[in-house]
């Protein structure tokens, strides 16, 4: 524990001109007295740590000292590629690993480039969760993440249809979609890949051995394909609607890209008023009513009759309110 702290202290001093005792204590999560003891220990071990006295004093390395302790471990290198997603790293239990990796990279850079991480962080931030929602971290995310990084199979139990199902999974990758964590895993007994919501797992047991990963597995491509399949699978009904030019432009925002694409692929010629008639795949009458309401007067529902009558009733109520 102390050895790791001493290494981190050297890397911190190597990446900056100097640091006060308070700054080092905050970074190392120790007291200023411990910082002083660690600096003395480094000095006795031959690391030229110099302490400047006074109000503007601090600790620094002298004589152009450079450590060779900048080699990244495999886990640190992998975590470094996720360092733009700090919330995700924290939830997977990789925050400390990524911090160590960033520190090693910073220490290895030329002095003129050592503020690159700070300037990049000032200019880019990824906020994955959706608006107006309170994303929760699944309790079992850390062990699933550990299994993904180490290629270890898991025995996962989850609720389905009022019963609990147990599956042996080979977890290939994690996906954070709008604040919800999913794991893309191969089911050995079926020989197929499936997607599971981690917050629906009731328990996860990690195996001891490693599974053989298919090296050509493409996580982004797999997720895009499955997301498209899921979006299309819920579109079990149809509605025939007329759309104004503005309604055509806003359709994807109202009903989602898959349904909008399916409807507009067979787009016919506009009528004399510029409106077009399309057959729109929808999840259900209730969902279609909620979605198409957002288009207001830019859409007219022609069928099914029950859906058209709901919009007619809405229009009558609105007219009464604004008369």
């Amino acid at each position: 524990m102390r050895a790791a702290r001493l290494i981190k202290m050297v890397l911190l001093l190597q990446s900056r001109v100097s640091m006060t005792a308070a700054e080092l204590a905050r970074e190392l999560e120790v007291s200023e007295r411990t910082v002083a003891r660690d600096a003395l220990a480094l000095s006795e071990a031959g690391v030229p740590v110099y302490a400047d006295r006074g109000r503007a004093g601090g600790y620094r390395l002298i004589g152009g000292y450079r450590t060779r302790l900048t080699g990244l471990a495999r886990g640190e290198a992998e975590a470094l590629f996720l360092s733009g997603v700090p919330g995700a790293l924290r939830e997977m239990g990789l925050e400390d690993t990524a911090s160590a990796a960033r520190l090693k990279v910073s220490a290895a850079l030329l002095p003129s480039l050592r503020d690159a991480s700070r300037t990049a962080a000032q200019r880019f931030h990824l906020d994955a969760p959706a608006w107006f929602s309170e994303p929760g971290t699944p309790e079992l995310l850390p062990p699933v993440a550990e299994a993904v990084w180490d290629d270890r199979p898991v025995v996962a139990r989850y609720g389905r249809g009022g019963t609990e199902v147990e599956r042996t999974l080979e977890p290939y990758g994690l996906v954070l979609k709008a604040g919800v964590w999913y794991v893309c895993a191969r089911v050995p007994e079926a020989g197929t890949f499936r997607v599971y919501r981690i917050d629906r797992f009731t328990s996860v047991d990690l195996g001891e051995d490693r599974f053989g990963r298919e090296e050509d597995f493409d996580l982004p491509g797999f997720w895009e394909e499955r997301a498209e399949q899921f979006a299309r699978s819920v579109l079990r009904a149809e509605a025939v609607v007329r759309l104004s030019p503005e309604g055509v432009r806003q359709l994807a925002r109202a009903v989602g890209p898959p349904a909008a694409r399916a409807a507009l692929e067979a787009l016919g010629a506009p009528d004399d008023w510029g409106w077009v008639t399309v057959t729109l795949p929808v999840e259900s009458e209730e969902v279609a009513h909620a979605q198409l309401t957002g288009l207001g007067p830019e859409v007219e529902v022609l069928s099914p009759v029950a859906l058209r009558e709901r919009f007619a009733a809405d229009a009558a109520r609105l007219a009464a309110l604004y008369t």
Side-chain angles (χ1 to χ4, degrees):
M1 183 70 177
R2 190 190 185 198
R5 189 175 73 242
L6 292 174
I7 292 172
K8 185 174 182 179
M9 184 174 180
V10 172
L11 291 172
L12 283 168
L13 293 175
Q14 183 174 310
S15 65
R16 307 181 193 182
V17 175
S18 68
M19 296 183 69
T20 66
E23 289 172 338
L24 282 169
R26 184 168 58 252
E27 291 282 353
L28 299 173
E29 299 180 349
V30 295
S31 67
E32 293 185 26
R33 180 170 296 182
T34 299
V35 168
R37 286 198 297 265
D38 286 350
L40 180 60
L42 287 171
S43 181
E44 291 174 349
V47 179
V49 178
Y50 181 78
D52 290 315
R53 305 294 181 182
R55 181 180 298 178
Y59 293 91
R60 59 187 174 89
L61 296 175
I62 60 175
Y65 180 85
R66 302 287 296 174
T67 176
R68 295 184 179 273
L69 298 173
T70 52
L72 291 179
R74 179 178 180 83
E76 293 171 340
E78 291 171 336
L80 187 60
F81 285 102
L82 292 171
S83 59
V85 197
L89 282 169
R90 184 169 54 254
E91 292 175 8
M92 288 188 290
L94 296 173
E95 188 174 29
D96 289 343
T97 303
S99 176
R102 287 193 296 269
L103 186 58
K104 288 183 177 182
V105 169
S106 178
L109 291 174
L110 293 172
S112 60
L113 299 177
R114 286 177 188 163
D115 66 342
S117 61
R118 178 183 59 81
T119 56
Q122 289 175 336
R123 290 163 173 80
F124 176 77
H125 173 68
L126 176 63
D127 185 8
W131 287 103
F132 312 118
S133 63
E134 292 293 336
T137 303
E139 182 179 347
L140 296 173
L141 175 60
V144 174
E146 180 181 348
V148 168
W149 289 119
D150 292 342
D151 293 338
R152 294 167 62 186
V154 300
V155 176
R157 282 169 285 276
Y158 59 95
R160 188 180 70 182
T163 61
E164 189 171 73
V165 179
E166 181 177 287
R167 286 279 186 273
T168 298
L169 306 175
E170 296 175 350
Y172 269 60
L174 296 169
V175 175
L176 177 60
K177 170 69 172 178
V180 179
W181 283 95
Y182 299 86
V183 60
C184 302
R186 183 177 180 273
V187 184
E189 62 185 32
T192 58
F193 286 89
R194 298 176 186 173
V195 178
Y196 297 87
R197 278 186 61 152
I198 297 177
D199 59 5
R200 292 179 180 168
F201 286 166
T202 57
S203 68
V204 171
D205 296 324
L206 274 67
E208 294 297 329
D209 299 326
R210 293 189 172 187
F211 61 85
R213 172 180 285 266
E214 295 182 16
E215 294 301 327
D216 60 350
F217 177 75
D218 176 16
L219 178 60
F222 171 78
W223 175 259
E224 182 179 1
E225 178 184 347
R226 288 305 171 93
E228 181 79 11
Q229 289 177 358
F230 173 77
R232 290 183 178 274
S233 70
V234 299
L235 303 176
R236 301 186 181 94
E238 290 183 343
V240 179
V241 301
R242 289 179 69 237
L243 295 166
S244 71
E246 182 61 25
V248 171
R249 285 191 290 270
Q250 296 292 332
L251 185 62
R253 176 189 60 79
V255 302
R261 281 197 300 269
L264 298 179
E265 280 173 358
L267 190 65
D271 59 22
D272 294 341
W273 294 274
W275 287 55
V276 295
T277 300
V278 299
T279 300
L280 180 68
V282 296
E283 184 174 343
S284 65
E285 181 180 316
E286 290 73 19
V287 173
H289 177 254
Q291 291 176 330
L292 294 175
T293 295
L295 292 177
E298 309 303 330
V299 62
E300 178 191 2
V301 176
L302 302 179
S303 67
V305 174
L307 183 58
R308 179 178 174 86
E309 290 175 346
R310 291 181 71 164
F311 275 92
D314 288 348
R317 291 175 59 193
L318 283 170
L321 284 174
Y322 288 98
T323 298

